[in-house]
Amino acid sequence: NAGVTQTPKFRILKIGQSMTLQCAQDMNHNYMYWYRQDPGMGLKLIYYSVGAGITDKGEVPNGYNVSRSTTEDFPLRLELAAPSQTSVYFCASSHEGEDSPLHFGNGTRLTVT
Amino acid sequence: GENVEQHPSTLSVQEGDSAVIKCTYSDSASNYFPWYKQELGKRPQLIIDIRSNVGEKKDQRIAVTLNKTAKHFSLHITETQPEDSAVYFCAASKKTGANNLFFGTGTRLTVIP
């Protein structure tokens, strides 16, 4: 049981490039989330999904897109990278229920220069 | 949306002393309040949570208190140990069908041996 797996761990992008951050979970969780964590700040919700085929925006969705074709996978797409997207990105998953604990991946550290 | 404020941003205590971290929230509909611990370079991990129908919860050296009237909740760590050194995040969420947590900005706790 690997939990939540994120790839890559680190990435450097040039302004305007695109990339996909991968996230997979093997706990059969229906709910999945993408957060970003900026230095000295808490985690901000980018997008979330309550099941395959269903996604919704969080607090800071601009500049990102997501898809959820399977229960296991929840990739995050950056189309035109900007320096403001330099951050650490965490994927998380949980069971149904507004008070089910989030299980986080190890994060992806992204730098846009 | 919800706004969660957390204080202090940094906290240093001597080993064996107690540490208290406080959070306030703005949305009176919030009803679930977890605390996450994040060690350097690691993923956030849930350490304790409390629901709005409970005023206090304890788990060994860790306790959380909730005052719904004042909209604040606190984390108490007693008999601190060096391994308690980490960044602690409070969060709040309400019934929306998914666990959409709003995080505080974090408290860096240092336990001095």
Side-chain angles (χ1 to χ4, degrees), chain B residues 17-31:
Chain B
D17 286 350
S18 295
V20 180
I21 302 170
K22 299 182 179 182
C23 289
T24 60
Y25 60 98
S26 61
D27 191 339
S28 56
S30 291
N31 56 6

Side-chain angles (χ1 to χ4, degrees), chain A residues 1-100:
Chain A
N1 194 334
V4 179
T5 302
Q6 288 183 240
T7 57
K9 291 184 179 179
F10 305 94
R11 184 71 186 268
I12 299 174
L13 282 182
K14 294 189 185 300
I15 295 171
Q17 286 186 321
S18 62
M19 77 164 293
T20 299
L21 282 67
Q22 301 292 345
C23 176
Q25 53 92 9
D26 61 0
M27 296 175 283
N28 203 30
H29 288 165
N30 277 335
Y31 293 0
M32 295 188 74
Y33 315 81
W34 275 104
Y35 285 89
R36 60 176 286 172
Q37 185 178 33
D38 299 323
M41 303 294 289
L43 291 91
K44 299 284 188 183
L45 183 65
I46 305 170
Y47 270 95
Y48 68 97
S49 168
V50 299
I54 306 169
T55 63
D56 209 345
K57 296 178 180 179
E59 282 184 89
V60 290
N62 292 342
Y64 306 95
N65 278 300
V66 293
S67 60
R68 185 91 182 273
S69 56
T70 67
T71 299
E72 295 77 19
D73 300 298
F74 190 40
L76 178 72
R77 178 82 177 164
L78 283 71
E79 289 295 349
L80 291 170
S84 61
Q85 293 179 304
T86 294
S87 189
V88 179
Y89 291 84
F90 286 98
C91 178
S93 70
S94 73
H95 283 298
E96 289 89 347
E98 61 277 357
D99 57 359
S100 296

